[in-house]
Amino acid sequence: MIPRILLFIRRPTSKNVLINTLGNYLNVFFTAFFALILVRILTPSQYGILSVLLGIAYVLANILDFGTTATIYSYLPALYEKKTSELYRFIKSTFYYQSIFSLTVILILLFTFPYLDKIFFKTGSPWWELWLTSFSVLFLIWQNFIQNILFAAKKFVKTNIYLNLANFLKTLVVLAMILTNNITVGSVIFIFGILGPMFFFILLFFEKKSLIPIFINVKVNRSDFRFGYTLTYFIASQFFNLGLRMDLFLLSYFRSKAEVGYYGLSQKIILTILTTVISITQVLSPSFAKINLKAVAISQLKTGITYLLVPAGLFLLLFFTPKQVYDFVFTEKFSETASITRALALPFILYALGSLPMLFLLYTAKKPIYILFSNVIFFVILTAGCYYLIPRLGVYGPPYAITAALIAAIAVQVYASVKEFKRIFT
């Protein structure tokens, strides 16, 4: 048993997962540290407004990914091995089209955000905070794009160093703002959504500045964006990402800002652990894209489920964490956080394990249409469930809706994976 465990640990995939997971744990530390500071400075209502605005920014950053993440992981690994001009053309073309589409949407948002906030989000934020949130979306998009490029090239150590150095610099800025009594909802949005990505860009620039002339000279090629595959996954991911935030948005619509603050903090804890799932799938994605034999597929599926048991165990740990621990960390001012977090932890165990069929369908079978279908089901069930349950159960309604939505979506993906596995390897 011990030799097999040691052999498993020595695998290149295991090392990459370990590096990426450790990097994300460090990111978790910074996220928890920021939350620990902010809940002691902001009121529950202010924290609720901040949660909604940052939630909007993160949702839009994912939405305006336009499916490029899947395209990068599917096609860049092979191009990176050759390192020809086609690699740089692929990166520039993908970045170009994503930025053009994103800027168009953000410009529309700039002029419609105050109206949307008035009728739906109801944060009551001044126009400049709403505009700051809109501009931060673009910086988050660019950071995510560069991060995905580096991960697809298996530059996990370098990427995590840059990300956490940026986090450290953000921490210094936050502490400076606290000491000068300048911490507000707007300043936090600026630090998290604009200044943080800028630190990341600057650190990367000093190392990769020799590549700037190459990217300037290479021409954009429309075919490199792979519209069919990219846009199908784009639509699919939007239903899922928006669904993951509909609970918070509908709580903002139906309930008090204090309740939104309690739930927003619990959701932040859950989303922090979700980064562990993402860190694992980022490492596994290129391997799933290269599967061409049944034996390799079975081996990769076994490897995948082994790694995904780690975040599943973390969600289970959240469920059994005593209330006193939550109160000690987040103060009794956020006493509702413990029970809400426990209620959310169990359904997200399903999410962690359900990432496996998604990887197979997207990168091995290359059939994003199944992901689209399952994510539409997820969005409809979660949104309808929250709309019905929140007025009746308050902050304890969304966990029931999330559970039902995940069970239905994962069932569809498992069925489709079995069907595609038989088609490919029979």
Side-chain angles (χ1 to χ4, degrees), residues 21 25 270 272-281 304-321 341-342 344-356 410:
T21 302
Y25 280 151
I270 296 297
T272 297
I273 295 183
L274 284 186
T275 61
T276 306
V277 180
I278 294 170
S279 71
I280 292 172
T281 57
I305 196 65
T306 302
Y307 291 128
L308 291 170
L309 284 172
V310 174
L314 291 176
F315 284 124
L316 191 62
L317 182 63
L318 279 182
F319 180 78
F320 288 108
T321 300
T341 304
R342 289 199 198 99
L344 286 171
L346 291 180
F348 278 96
I349 293 175
L350 297 174
Y351 171 81
L353 301 178
S355 299
L356 192 63
I410 293 171

Side-chain angles (χ1 to χ4, degrees), residues 209-327:
K209 58 184 177 182
S210 61
L211 296 178
I212 300 300
I214 297 176
F215 282 112
I216 291 174
N217 293 325
V218 72
K219 295 185 180 299
V220 171
N221 190 319
R222 183 178 179 275
S223 64
D224 284 324
F225 195 67
R226 291 172 172 84
F227 281 89
Y229 180 92
T230 301
L231 294 184
T232 301
Y233 180 68
F234 158 66
I235 298 171
S237 62
Q238 302 332 301
F239 279 105
F240 185 77
N241 291 327
L242 186 57
L244 277 181
R245 296 288 185 171
M246 283 306 295
D247 51 356
L248 189 66
F249 295 158
L250 287 171
L251 276 169
S252 178
Y253 181 78
F254 284 115
R255 312 296 289 194
S256 68
K257 294 298 180 291
E259 288 178 287
V260 175
Y262 301 141
Y263 190 90
L265 181 57
S266 294
Q267 189 184 64
K268 187 176 291 293
I269 296 169
I270 296 297
L271 292 176
T272 297
I273 295 183
L274 284 186
T275 61
T276 306
V277 180
I278 294 170
S279 71
I280 292 172
T281 57
Q282 285 169 336
V283 174
L284 296 176
S285 296
S287 299
F288 272 83
K290 296 178 182 179
I291 291 175
N292 56 7
L293 297 172
K294 183 177 181 179
V296 176
I298 293 173
S299 175
Q300 193 61 44
L301 289 169
K302 290 180 178 178
T303 300
I305 196 65
T306 302
Y307 291 128
L308 291 170
L309 284 172
V310 174
L314 291 176
F315 284 124
L316 191 62
L317 182 63
L318 279 182
F319 180 78
F320 288 108
T321 300
K323 182 179 183 298
Q324 291 81 353
V325 175
Y326 290 99
D327 290 343

Side-chain angles (χ1 to χ4, degrees), residues 340-396:
I340 297 172
T341 304
R342 289 199 198 99
L344 286 171
L346 291 180
F348 278 96
I349 293 175
L350 297 174
Y351 171 81
L353 301 178
S355 299
L356 192 63
M358 182 274 293
L359 287 170
F360 179 81
L361 290 171
L362 190 58
Y363 299 113
T364 305
K366 289 183 169 58
K367 291 293 183 68
I369 189 65
Y370 292 122
I371 309 297
L372 172 59
F373 181 63
S374 64
N375 286 356
V376 169
I377 293 174
F378 173 82
F379 175 80
V380 170
I381 294 176
L382 192 150
T383 303
C386 286
Y387 187 84
Y388 176 80
L389 292 171
I390 287 174
R392 293 162 176 79
L393 302 177
V395 293
Y396 299 101

Side-chain angles (χ1 to χ4, degrees), residues 19-37:
I19 291 168
N20 207 32
T21 302
L22 288 175
N24 275 284
Y25 280 151
L26 188 55
N27 188 60
V28 167
F29 166 77
F30 281 110
T31 301
F33 181 71
F34 290 138
L36 192 64
I37 294 174

Side-chain angles (χ1 to χ4, degrees), residues 57 131-141 189 192-194 197:
W131 278 39
L132 197 61
T133 302
S134 302
F135 281 119
S136 70
V137 173
L138 186 62
F139 286 83
L140 291 170
I141 289 169
I189 292 172
F192 279 53
I194 295 178

Side-chain angles (χ1 to χ4, degrees), residues 97-117:
Y97 282 106
Q98 184 187 21
S99 296
I100 290 295
F101 296 150
S102 300
L103 279 168
T104 303
V105 175
I106 290 170
L107 286 174
I108 295 172
L109 178 65
L110 284 174
F111 296 101
T112 59
F113 207 165
Y115 176 73
L116 291 173
D117 185 66

